[in-house]
Amino acid sequence: MRTTLIAGNWKMHLLSEEARQLVRGILAGLARVPSERELLLIPPYVWLMPVAAQLRETSRVKLGGQDVHWEGEGAFTSAISASMLRDAGCEYVLVGHSERRHVFGDDARTLARKLRAALAGGLQAIYCVGEQLAQREAQETEAVLDRQLQEVLGGLGTEEMQRLTLAYEPVWAIGTGRTATPEIAQQAHAHLRRRLAEEFGEAVASQVRILYGGSVKPDNAAELLAQTDIDGALVGGASLAAESFLGIAMAGSGVS
Ligand code: PEP
């Protein structure tokens, strides 16, 4: 049984007081979110520790980092290690977000090293995959997803796979207001799960959560979350306001 995870990626947004107010708003509305839904906040690094302090009053909202370096420590200006993330209160970390791939140039080798460091460091990793618009139009979506899985997940063991979550984020849907239809998203998720089954076996594939990301909002979340292979959402823009994040967290659960 896969629990639904609703993750908010704040990217490079919010000053300290805004971050504090947002967490306060989420905590104030938490009782309305069904208990079987897990929430995750992924703030900029500088707000990890203050957010962790605010989250001490609940175990229902987890904390995650937006990226991780593959080394444990050293001369890597601006980078952050898995043990630092853990020390700051993180249980999760994103690896391979499309902005890391396309803005910062993280390639497959880099992402494979980051993923291994995250898992070896005891974190749950959310590995993001997704095709660009031209690739979808050229009907290359499945090939792109296969490559992104193979290049980075190859050789992982069953124990490591238990701490892996995938996020399918079509690049054309991130921050554009253009969401994949529930059918398009489900098709991609089902494809990813099939590939996981081929590579790691049915038992592993049926346990790995696959989140959808790309312009998820309170009014489209219910239909997306209702799909068989969609196990949660990775939310950017709509995670920056408590009401919209809570709205997504409650979507389709019968409460509003
Ligand atoms: C994201 O940051 O992963 C994302 C999906 O952003 P948005 O919800 O704004 O499209």
Side-chain angles (χ1 to χ4, degrees):
M1 179 64 191
R2 303 183 296 266
T3 51
T4 302
L5 175 65
I6 308 295
N9 173 15
W10 298 359
K11 310 191 184 190
M12 196 175 74
H13 291 292
L14 306 179
L15 298 180
S16 58
E17 183 53 26
E18 296 166 322
R20 206 163 63 84
Q21 292 297 344
L22 174 54
V23 178
R24 189 180 284 173
I26 292 168
L27 291 174
L30 196 55
R32 290 186 277 144
V33 178
S35 55
E36 67 277 8
R37 296 219 166 158
E38 193 183 341
L39 303 189
L40 168 64
L41 303 182
I42 311 176
Y45 299 136
V46 280
W47 309 143
L48 285 173
M49 289 179 69
V51 171
Q54 281 183 282
L55 295 182
R56 257 179 226 134
E57 65 181 73
T58 179
S59 58
R60 292 192 54 198
V61 187
K62 312 287 191 209
L63 190 65
Q66 296 182 8
D67 191 29
V68 64
H69 194 266
W70 57 85
E71 293 291 348
E73 62 175 334
F76 301 104
T77 300
S78 88
I80 187 160
S81 70
S83 55
M84 288 171 185
L85 291 174
R86 289 274 303 245
D87 199 24
C90 292
E91 283 183 44
Y92 285 85
V93 67
L94 296 178
V95 175
H97 188 278
S98 82
E99 287 143 25
R100 290 298 323 171
R101 291 178 191 268
H102 303 297
V103 180
F104 295 97
D106 281 9
D107 59 14
R109 180 164 176 269
T110 299
L111 296 178
R113 295 170 87 186
K114 287 182 171 185
L115 188 77
R116 273 162 184 70
L119 295 171
L123 290 161
Q124 308 245 11
I126 302 177
Y127 176 55
C128 306
V129 296
E131 80 287 1
Q132 295 177 280
L133 185 58
Q135 293 168 324
R136 170 155 289 272
E137 286 172 348
Q139 274 149 36
E140 291 168 5
T141 298
E142 295 189 351
V144 170
L145 298 181
D146 288 351
R147 194 176 63 238
Q148 291 173 335
L149 289 188
Q150 268 158 17
E151 286 173 339
V152 171
L153 302 191
L156 289 185
T158 306
E159 196 276 324
E160 290 166 310
M161 290 301 290
Q162 278 164 10
R163 281 182 293 112
L164 184 86
T165 296
L166 290 182
Y168 170 61
E169 297 207 298
V171 179
W172 46 271
I174 298 180
T176 59
R178 191 174 162 193
T179 322
T181 62
E183 295 72 29
I184 286 179
Q186 166 57 27
Q187 237 173 31
H189 284 231
H191 177 78
L192 289 167
R193 206 177 298 285
R194 266 196 309 277
R195 283 289 179 262
L196 290 177
E198 283 163 17
E199 189 71 25
F200 300 98
E202 291 286 348
V204 168
S206 67
Q207 278 171 10
V208 172
R209 281 189 293 203
I210 310 179
L211 313 181
Y212 169 77
S215 299
V216 178
K217 306 275 182 281
D219 60 3
N220 61 24
E223 262 195 295
L224 288 160
L225 294 174
Q227 304 303 308
T228 320
D229 289 293
I230 299 187
D231 307 311
L234 179 53
V235 187
S239 73
L240 298 173
E243 270 318 302
S244 55
F245 187 60
L246 290 166
I248 294 168
M250 289 183 279
S253 64
V255 280
S256 58

